[in-house]
């Protein structure tokens, strides 16, 4: 059975969705760069080992990433799963875990990489928004895509209502992506593409606002 290590910085709701999804892997540890991350307590109540590697204890990104990798490797991680981990990772770190490092981002990439994705989507007036699970590369928020979920943007949406609609889908697609990974159904090719076994795909369009 594969080992996964989850990295968090805060609330940990995606981590919690993974802990409760009965995945075909062992969640070896949850690591945070912040000792006060709420998700750490949730992990402990699920009986998952936790560790803190504080970025404040290191002079620069390189030193922090080396310490972080040392902690991850101590748990024999096959896959490293970023779940609201708010640190930009160095190229050395990303290369070390190539094909084994996954992230979830609250937008339909490649649109709205970076922060404040829901506010930016509302500002632009897009009618469809969503979330993406992808392999992490040195190109921030632009790694090869594994799965996406699209949601409608409703006319009375606020940043909060839209965030909640997207988050609900995040909690559905992240466990699915990790399930595929841990059971060997997807992998990152040498040319940087996601190779997938034959999957059943629905051909429905999401049209928003709907047709009349
Ligand atoms: C999620 O929206 C995730 O997509 C993004 O950061 C947020 C983390 O939320 N990377 P949580 O800590 O999983 O609740």
């Amino acid at each position: 059975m594969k080992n996964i290590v989850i990295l968090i910085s805060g609330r940990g709701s995606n981590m919690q969705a993974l802990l409760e999804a009965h995945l075909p892997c062992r969640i070896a540890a949850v690591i945070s760069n912040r000792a006060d991350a709420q998700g750490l307590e949730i992990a402990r109540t699920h009986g998952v080992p936790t560790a803190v590697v504080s970025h404040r204890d290191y002079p620069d990104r390189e030193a922090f990433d080396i310490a972080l990798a040392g902690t991850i490797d101590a748990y024999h991680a096959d896959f490293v799963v970023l779940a609201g981990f708010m640190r930009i990772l160095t190229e050395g770190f990303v290369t070390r875990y190539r094909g084994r490092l996954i992230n979830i981002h609250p937008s339909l990439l490649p649109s709205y990489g970076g922060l404040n994705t829901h506010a930016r989507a509302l500002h632009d007036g897009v009618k469809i928004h969503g979330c993406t699970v992808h392999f992490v590369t040195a190109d921030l928020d632009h790694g090869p895509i594994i799965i996406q979920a699209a949601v409608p943007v409703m006319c009375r949406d606020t940043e909060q209502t839209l965030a909640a609609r997207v988050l609900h889908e995040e909690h559905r697609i992240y466990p699915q992506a990790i399930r595929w990974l841990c059971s060997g159904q997807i992998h990152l090719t040498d040319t940087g593409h996601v190779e997938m076994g034959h999957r059943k795909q629905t051909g429905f369009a999401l049209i928003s606002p709907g047709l009349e």
Side-chain angles (χ1 to χ4, degrees):
M1 192 174 266
K2 300 287 188 192
N3 279 337
I4 70 172
V5 165
I6 304 175
L7 305 189
I8 63 168
S9 296
R11 183 176 57 180
S13 72
N14 276 289
M15 174 212 72
Q16 184 170 4
L18 295 173
L19 295 183
E20 293 173 359
H22 305 291
L23 297 170
C25 60
R26 200 165 70 87
I27 299 182
V30 169
I31 302 174
S32 175
N33 64 310
R34 298 180 57 112
D36 61 354
Q38 288 166 259
L40 287 173
E41 192 49 41
I42 301 171
R44 288 185 201 114
T45 61
H46 282 74
V48 174
T50 61
V52 175
V53 182
S54 173
H55 57 279
R56 291 173 199 273
D57 293 343
Y58 299 89
D60 52 34
R61 283 191 196 282
E62 278 74 19
F64 170 68
D65 280 6
I66 288 167
L68 182 63
T71 306
I72 292 169
D73 292 349
Y75 289 103
H76 307 286
D78 294 294
F79 297 108
V80 180
V81 176
L82 307 181
F85 186 65
M86 302 303 286
R87 298 293 302 169
I88 294 176
L89 296 162
T90 56
E91 194 161 350
F93 185 95
V94 170
T95 305
R96 179 187 188 121
Y97 295 105
R98 185 184 187 282
R100 305 194 290 130
L101 181 61
I102 321 298
N103 183 43
I104 188 157
H105 183 78
S107 77
L108 289 174
L109 292 174
S111 293
Y112 305 119
L115 298 173
N116 304 319
T117 58
H118 309 307
R120 289 155 62 206
L122 285 173
H123 176 265
D124 288 346
V126 298
K127 301 299 179 218
I128 296 175
H129 185 48
C131 48
T132 303
V133 178
H134 64 99
F135 284 106
V136 177
T137 61
D139 198 3
L140 186 69
D141 290 336
H142 281 281
I145 293 171
I146 297 170
I147 186 171
Q148 295 183 300
V151 302
V153 179
M154 312 298 260
C155 58
R156 292 197 203 292
D157 265 336
T158 62
E159 203 178 324
Q160 288 70 30
T161 59
L162 183 55
R165 191 173 309 116
V166 171
L167 192 65
H168 182 76
E169 301 308 319
E170 293 187 36
H171 296 165
R172 298 174 68 204
I173 65 172
Y174 218 5
Q176 176 66 82
I178 305 302
R179 198 171 285 123
W180 284 335
L181 261 183
C182 291
S183 57
Q185 295 185 66
I186 55 172
H187 75 276
L188 185 63
T189 67
D190 290 344
T191 54
H193 292 97
V194 178
E195 199 162 84
M196 284 200 147
H198 225 52
R199 307 233 63 78
K200 203 165 78 183
Q201 288 187 292
T202 52
F204 301 119
L206 171 58
I207 298 176
S208 177
L211 304 177
E212 288 181 357

